[in-house]
Amino acid sequence: MGHFSILHITKYKELGGIGSHIDRRNTPANVDPSKKHLNEDMVYQFSEEMTLEQCVERRISKGYRQNRLIRKDAVKALGIFVSGSHERMKEIEADEGLFNAWKQANYNFVCVEFGAKNIVRFSLHRDERTPHIHCVVVPLTKDG
C-alpha cells in the first residue's frame, strides 16, 4: 500500500466526548497505557483543569464581538485530525528531526489557516497504533 496523508476536519457543536478522548480523561480500548508518556499537549489554552468544552466557551467569550446571540445549534469548534499511512508515520516517528519537522509544519498550517489565538488544543497522540495530531480551533474571524 502506498503512503498517504490524512487531514480530516469535523464540526463540533458539543465537545464532551471528543474532549475526553483528546485529554485522555478516559482510556479507549485501542490505547496502550504504557505509552501515554509519549503524548504531547503542544497547545493547551487556558487551564489544564478546564475541560475542552470550557476552553472553547472561554475562547468564544474572549473573541466573539458580534451583537447577535450565538445560535444554540451553532458550530462552536472545528476538530482537525492529522496523520498518515501507518508505515510512513512510523518512518517519520523513527527520525526525531523529521518527526519534529512534521509536528511543526502541521502546527504552522493550523496557525495560518485558523489563527494561533483560536487553537485551544493541539495534542499529539503516540499511545495508539499510528501517531496522529488532534487540534481543536474556534473558528473566529479577525472581526470577531
Side-chain angles (χ1 to χ4, degrees):
M1 178 179 260
H3 298 303
F4 54 87
S5 297
I6 298 170
L7 171 68
H8 182 93
I9 300 177
T10 303
K11 297 177 186 178
Y12 291 126
K13 295 179 181 183
E14 296 182 22
L15 298 138
I18 193 63
S20 293
H21 174 78
I22 293 171
D23 296 340
R24 291 298 194 244
R25 294 186 195 274
N26 60 23
T27 306
N30 65 326
V31 167
D32 180 349
S34 71
K35 294 182 178 180
K36 188 174 181 180
H37 68 282
L38 298 173
N39 293 347
E40 293 177 53
D41 289 318
M42 299 167 67
V43 173
Y44 205 107
Q45 198 173 128
F46 306 117
S47 165
E48 290 192 22
E49 286 79 43
M50 294 174 69
T51 66
L52 178 60
E53 193 161 25
Q54 290 168 329
C55 290
V56 166
E57 292 298 330
R58 171 84 52 92
R59 177 65 192 122
I60 291 169
S61 71
K62 287 181 172 280
Y64 185 69
R65 295 191 301 265
Q66 302 298 313
N67 293 327
R68 290 177 274 138
L69 290 176
I70 297 173
R71 292 172 46 135
K72 290 183 183 190
D73 64 345
V75 171
K76 293 185 176 181
L78 300 174
I80 302 162
F81 178 88
V82 181
S83 190
S85 59
H86 177 73
E87 297 78 17
R88 182 61 180 145
M89 287 307 303
K90 286 305 200 181
E91 289 172 8
I92 292 170
E93 183 181 36
D95 181 329
E96 185 177 351
L98 185 57
F99 194 53
N100 288 334
W102 176 81
K103 291 185 294 186
Q104 189 64 50
N106 283 293
Y107 177 75
N108 292 346
F109 168 77
V110 175
C111 287
V112 168
E113 293 300 316
F114 300 99
K117 288 183 180 180
N118 292 327
I119 301 170
V120 294
R121 287 289 191 289
F122 193 94
S123 299
L124 170 68
H125 285 174
R126 295 173 71 183
D127 58 356
E128 294 179 53
R129 183 171 182 263
T130 305
H132 58 274
I133 293 171
H134 288 280
C135 177
V136 178
V137 299
V138 175
L140 288 168
T141 58
K142 289 180 183 178
D143 65 356

